[in-house]
Amino acid sequence: MDAFTSFFDSQTSSRNRWASESLKNFRQISPVVQNHLKLVYLTLCCTLIASAAGAYLHILWNIGGMITLLSCIGCMVWLLCTPTYQEKKRVSLLMAAGLFEGATLGPLIELAIEINPSVLISAFGGTALAFGCFSAAAMLARRREYLYLGGLLSSGLSMLIWLQFASSVFGGSAALFKFELYFGLLIFVGYMVVDTQEMIEKAHHGDLDYVKHALTLFTDFVAVFIRILVIMLKNSAEKNEKKKKRKD
């Protein structure tokens, strides 16, 4: 009994120590950086709303396609080439990029609504939950703790691009598609953590470009959302097929 009590006390003390260390790490973020993070996440939320509006416009008028994709890329490049002092212009370009991105994703979202609307809600909720959890983990961790993962993730991303290129040229199997899907999800979840820590580190060194940082997090969010949605749609379709076979 005493051994159990001592073990429980040690576990409790370790949890308390972890919590206190995490809070100390959070206190390392200066008020200036905290205000910067608020601006970044507020801008990110507005961009996601603009993206949802773009998806809705596609459902109404079927505007999503190659043109909206190129327009989205063009707005992102234009934003990155615009000086930071032109704040309103850069925010407008970010909102336009979000709008065009949402319209580009419109066909996939429309398909999800036709198959099972709850899948779309679950995918967005799961992405938001993962984004919140991993962003919080990056903030509470020691400074620069996860930045070393950047090189590893870049290598994984280049590998994923080559796999997609090879499958598009030579044809791919269902197993390869599944691997690309889950491997890509793992990579972009990792980028959520690395990009959040990198953003905080840059802010500590005076880089308070909240529009650019919001754009980075937006691309991470969309990449994770697409993969979660496709995985859930695939699972839903497989379940429907099994139900049909049972009925037959």
Side-chain angles (χ1 to χ4, degrees):
M1 185 68 181
D2 292 337
F4 176 79
T5 305
S6 62
F7 174 77
F8 180 78
D9 291 339
S10 65
Q11 290 293 102
T12 305
S13 63
S14 64
R15 290 195 197 98
N16 292 334
R17 197 183 312 115
W18 182 87
S20 62
E21 287 176 358
S22 298
L23 289 174
K24 286 178 183 177
N25 291 330
F26 187 74
R27 289 193 198 102
Q28 289 177 1
I29 302 177
S30 65
V32 174
V33 178
Q34 289 181 19
N35 290 331
H36 173 69
L37 292 176
K38 290 176 184 176
L39 269 176
V40 169
Y41 286 107
L42 178 62
T43 308
L44 174 62
C45 288
C46 293
T47 311
L48 290 174
I49 292 171
S51 187
Y56 182 69
L57 289 176
H58 168 79
I59 293 171
L60 289 179
W61 296 313
N62 195 26
I63 61 174
M66 185 58 67
I67 295 176
T68 56
L69 176 61
L70 294 175
S71 300
C72 177
I73 295 172
C75 287
M76 290 181 180
V77 173
W78 192 1
L79 187 157
L80 295 174
C81 295
T82 304
T84 54
Y85 61 83
Q86 296 182 3
E87 186 177 345
K88 291 183 179 179
K89 182 179 179 181
R90 298 177 86 242
V91 172
S92 300
L93 286 170
L94 179 59
M95 296 302 115
L99 185 76
F100 288 127
E101 181 69 36
T104 305
L105 295 178
L108 179 61
I109 292 173
E110 193 172 16
L111 177 65
I113 293 172
E114 289 176 1
I115 294 174
N116 189 354
S118 63
V119 169
L120 180 63
I121 298 170
S122 300
F124 184 82
T127 307
L129 182 62
F131 186 85
C133 291
F134 285 104
S135 295
M139 290 179 190
L140 295 175
R142 292 191 300 272
R143 286 180 59 183
R144 299 183 293 275
E145 184 176 5
Y146 295 114
L147 293 183
Y148 74 93
L149 292 173
L152 185 63
L153 291 172
S154 298
S155 300
L157 182 61
S158 61
M159 177 182 170
L160 182 66
I161 292 170
W162 278 111
L163 281 173
Q164 290 178 343
F165 175 75
S167 61
S168 63
V169 173
F170 303 106
S173 61
L176 181 61
F177 173 75
K178 197 171 183 179
F179 173 77
E180 289 176 3
L181 204 58
Y182 284 94
F183 185 59
L185 178 60
L186 180 64
I187 287 173
F188 285 106
V189 164
Y191 268 117
M192 283 182 176
V193 179
V194 173
D195 287 338
T196 302
Q197 275 214 329
E198 188 176 12
M199 173 184 67
I200 294 170
E201 194 61 27
K202 285 181 178 179
H204 276 293
H205 288 86
D207 184 0
L208 301 176
D209 187 357
Y210 70 93
V211 180
K212 182 180 176 181
H213 294 163
L215 173 62
T216 302
L217 296 181
F218 174 70
T219 54
D220 292 341
F221 189 98
V222 170
V224 173
F225 170 71
I226 291 171
R227 282 156 180 82
I228 290 178
L229 181 58
V230 172
I231 289 169
M232 294 186 74
L233 284 174
K234 189 172 178 295
N235 293 337
S236 179
E238 288 176 355
K239 287 179 181 178
N240 290 335
E241 287 181 3
K242 288 180 181 178
K243 286 180 181 179
K244 288 180 180 178
K245 288 180 179 179
R246 287 174 184 173
K247 288 180 180 179
D248 295 339

